[in-house]
Each structure stands twice: as C-alpha cells, then as structure tokens.
C-alpha cells in the first residue's frame, strides 16, 4: 500500500479500484445492508460471486422463460370446457415475463455496475444528518415488508386459481406417468414462476421508491436551512448536491421507467382488445389470470410514477419555500440609530398578524411538512443576507426546478395527467373500434 507524506507524517493511500469495490460490496454483521443482501440471495438475484451469479441467471431463465413457455404450449388445454380453457394465456405470459425480464436485467446492471451500497446511496450517508441516516435505514427495512404486501396477496389469489384449475381437471397430461403427480408438479412450477416474476418486478419498483424517499428526507433537512441564519452559499451548495443526486437517479432509472410504461400500456391495450372482441366470453374462470396480471403490472407502474411525482413535487416546493423566506425577510423592519446595533421590530407592530388556530392546522392533515406549509418563517435581526442575494437565490430556484426526469421530460403531476389523458383517449378509441362506444 502506498503512503503519502502530509506534514511530516505518513497517511495510507488506497487507490485500487478492486479494493474500493470489495469494501462497498462485502457484507458484515454491523452492515446495515446485511439483511437486505440475505434477501437478495434468498430471491436468487445476488451477483456478489460467480456461483451466485450463475444460480441467479439459471433461476431467471427457468422461471421467466422456460416454465411460462411450457405452461403455454403444453398446458393450454384447447379441448377443455369453457371454464378451463385459457384463451388469454399468451397475453398473460408475454406481459409478465417481459416486464420481469426488464426488471431483472436492470437490477442486475445496477448491482453489478454500482454495488449495492453505492446504488442505494449508503456511501453518501456519512455526509447526512443523524435523522436522515436513521430514517433511511428504517425505510430500508420497511421496504422489504412493502414488497411482501404487494406480492403475497397476488400469490394467494393465483394459488387459489391454479389449485382450482388443476384440481377440477384442467390438465390431463401425465408427463410423469401419473396424472395427480404431474398436475402437482406443474402447479407448483407455475406458482413458483409467478412468485419469482412478481417479486422481481415489485422489488425494483420498491427500491426506486426507497431511493426517492431518501431524497425527500434530504429535502426536509434542506428546508431547515431556511429556519436558521444561513448564508446563500450554503443553501446553494446543498441544493446543487440534491439536484445532482436527482439527476443520478433519473439517469439510472429512465430506461426502466420508459420500458415499464410502454410494456404495461401495450399489455393493457392487448387485454382490452382481445376481451372486447365480438362473441367473446369473459368471466372469472377464463379471464381471472389476465385480470390478476393486469392489476399486478398496473400497481408496479403506479409505484414508480407516484414515487417520481412525489419527489418532483417536493423538490419544486423548494421554490415556494425560498420565495416565502425572501418575503418574510424583506417585510421585516429594522430601526437603526447611528452607531447602535440594529434591533428587530416586533412583527405585530403597525400591522395585523395572521395566525393559524389548532383547528385550522388539523384541517390540513398530513399534507403539510417542512417544505410545503403555511407557517411564517422568522427573520433574524443579525442576518447578513442582503436583498440582492435573496432575490438571486429565488431566481435560481425558479429557473432550476429539480425532479425526476425521463429523457428530459419531468415526471411531475402535470406529466402524469397528460399520460392519463393520452391513454384514456386511446382506450376510448379502441372501444369505439371493438364494441362501438363513442
């Protein structure tokens, strides 16, 4: 290891990329990511070693490609009755497998290229406050439960459907020599495939939500700078750091968000097209799997879009906060005598004071926080920030709005309304072509 001389002393210099990669990838007992790495190994999406990487890719190929293909071509049961036929199985398998494949490839790229600590921004937490570090670690542990909240109900519903389908005679292919044994193995493999694909999809979406939550915690910490006697330079440097992290998140996730939006939209329109054809019988027996697949994919997309729009809204609320801070500081009056220290004039001198009662504050519920509220910001008598500096800072916020972007398009609430309007127009157009609605 090389040493450099600083002030007559020796300080070790670590310049090996392998050592850096090793230090940020290896888990230990005190590591806050220890349980999360165990979860990844249990899910067979761990790429920390060649053997686990081979196992991960094997499980991906088997449960995302092989099992759905065998299920569709060998268990389609074209000669079954109307309750057991699966006319929408191709849309279900293609939709779920394509989204799961994109999710797995993105997760593999993230972990392999950046490492788990760097990908989840744990390597940047040393510069954050204790509140941010503690709440982010709590949110990490909560995220694993959030994945189960979405996966378990879907898996239970699919288990009930598949158990009924096989138990009531949906399949009669004794590829193991015995019908009961064959149906049991086929049912278990299909359920494992469903569980694997939905877990991978929701895991990537919840990780995006987790990273966005970290930026919200940082923004709440950033809002405290307006409550103390801070200088413009510190406020600007902190905001630039948050903007840089938002750009990093946008750059990493933009391809995944766009692909998921396109694939889920295509899946929903395909489902709508085949279920609104003339003489099509749609019931829970024939289209139950299709409905469950659609709800799963739409839920995953909503997690992404809601997380992106929420962090964008919080980031853009900084402009309102800075403008309010500027107004409160400008309206504050000082009485200065020659050779005397400036003194702060009370806010209620010469003008009315508007205060919020407790009942008024309760009406807002949980909508208010440090970034977006109706509280007056105190101005300080010994503040050295001039009017020009405050005005320049507000102008900077107005012209440099931060947020999550996808190839230049900001994912705010206005963008989500536009996406909803476009897709609603396409739905109405498609219904007009199939069932004649206008």
């Amino acid at each position: 290891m090389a040493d450099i001389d600083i002030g007559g002393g020796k300080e070790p210099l670590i310049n090996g990329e392998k050592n850096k990669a090793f230090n940020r990838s290896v888990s230990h007992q005190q590591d806050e990511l220890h349980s999360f790495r165990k979860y990844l190994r249990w899910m067979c999406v761990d790429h920390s070693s060649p053997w686990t990487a081979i196992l991960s890719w094997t499980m991906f190929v088997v449960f995302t490609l092989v099992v759905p293909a065998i299920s569709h071509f060998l268990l389609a049961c074209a000669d079954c009755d109307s309750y057991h036929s699966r006319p929408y199985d191709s849309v279900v398998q293609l939709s779920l497998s394509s989204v799961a494949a994109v999710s797995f490839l993105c997760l593999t790229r993230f972990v392999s290229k950046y490492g788990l600590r760097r990908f989840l921004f744990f390597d940047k937490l040393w510069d954050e406050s204790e509140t941010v570090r503690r709440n982010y670690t709590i949110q990490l542990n909560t995220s694993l439960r959030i994945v189960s909240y979405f996966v378990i109900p879907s898996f239970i519903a699919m288990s009930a459907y598949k158990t009924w389908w096989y138990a009531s005679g949906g399949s009669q292919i004794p590829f193991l020599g015995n019908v009961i044994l064959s149906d049991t193995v086929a049912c278990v493999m299909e359920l494992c495939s469903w569980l694997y694909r939905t877990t991978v999809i929701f895991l990537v979406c919840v990780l995006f939500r987790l990273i966005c939550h970290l930026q919200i915690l940082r923004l709440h910490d950033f809002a405290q700078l307006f409550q103390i006697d801070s200088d413009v330079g510190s406020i600007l440097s902190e905001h630039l750091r948050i903007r840089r992290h938002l750009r990093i998140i946008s750059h990493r996730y933009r391809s995944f968000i766009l692909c998921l939006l396109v694939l889920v939209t295509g899946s929903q329109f395909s489902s709508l097209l085949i279920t609104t054809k003339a003489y099509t019988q749609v019931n829970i027996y024939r289209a139950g799997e299709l409905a469950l697949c659609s709800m799963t994919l739409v839920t995953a997309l909503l997690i992404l879009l809601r997380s992106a729009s929420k962090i964008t809204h919080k980031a853009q609320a900084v402009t309102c906060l800075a403008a309010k801070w500027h107004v409160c500081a400008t309206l504050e009056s000082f009485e200065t005598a020659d050779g005397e220290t400036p003194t702060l004039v009370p806010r209620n001198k010469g003008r009315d004071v508007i205060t919020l009662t407790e009942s008024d504050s309760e009406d807002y519920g949980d909508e208010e926080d440090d970034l977006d509220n109706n509280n007056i910001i105190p101005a300080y008598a010994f503040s050295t920030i001039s009017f020009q500096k405050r005005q320049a800072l507000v102008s900077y916020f107005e012209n440099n709005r931060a947020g999550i972007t996808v190839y230049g398009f900001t994912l705010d609430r206005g963008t989500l309304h536009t996406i909803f309007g476009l897709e609603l127009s396409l739905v109405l157009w498609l219904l007009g072509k199939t069932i004649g609605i206008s």
Side-chain angles (χ1 to χ4, degrees), residues 17-28 31 33-34 36-38 40-41 46-49 110-119 122-123:
E17 293 297 331
K18 293 183 179 180
N19 291 335
K20 293 180 180 179
F22 180 80
N23 291 332
R24 64 177 168 84
S25 300
V26 176
S27 177
H28 51 83
D31 190 2
L33 294 174
H34 179 71
F36 191 76
R37 288 191 176 95
K38 290 176 61 177
L40 293 181
R41 284 194 291 269
D46 182 25
H47 292 260
S48 58
S49 67
F110 293 153
V111 177
S112 301
K113 183 176 181 179
Y114 305 109
L116 195 57
R117 292 186 62 85
R118 184 181 171 192
F119 169 60
F122 270 91
D123 60 327

Side-chain angles (χ1 to χ4, degrees), residues 330-383:
T330 304
L331 292 179
E332 201 63 42
S333 301
F334 293 92
E335 290 183 351
T336 307
D338 292 339
E340 296 181 2
T341 304
T343 58
L344 181 63
V345 176
R347 193 178 296 275
N348 59 352
K349 182 177 181 179
R351 59 181 182 269
D352 296 331
V353 179
I354 299 177
T355 58
L356 294 178
T357 63
E358 184 178 354
S359 59
D360 293 333
S361 61
E362 291 177 354
D363 292 338
Y364 290 100
D366 297 331
E367 294 296 325
E368 286 196 348
D369 52 26
D370 294 333
L371 286 168
D372 190 5
N373 58 61
N374 294 313
N375 299 330
I376 298 297
I377 298 178
Y380 294 88
F382 303 102
S383 176

Side-chain angles (χ1 to χ4, degrees), residues 288-302:
E289 193 173 0
L290 178 64
L292 192 57
C293 174
S294 298
M295 287 188 290
T296 300
L297 297 182
V298 170
T299 302
L301 180 61
L302 289 178

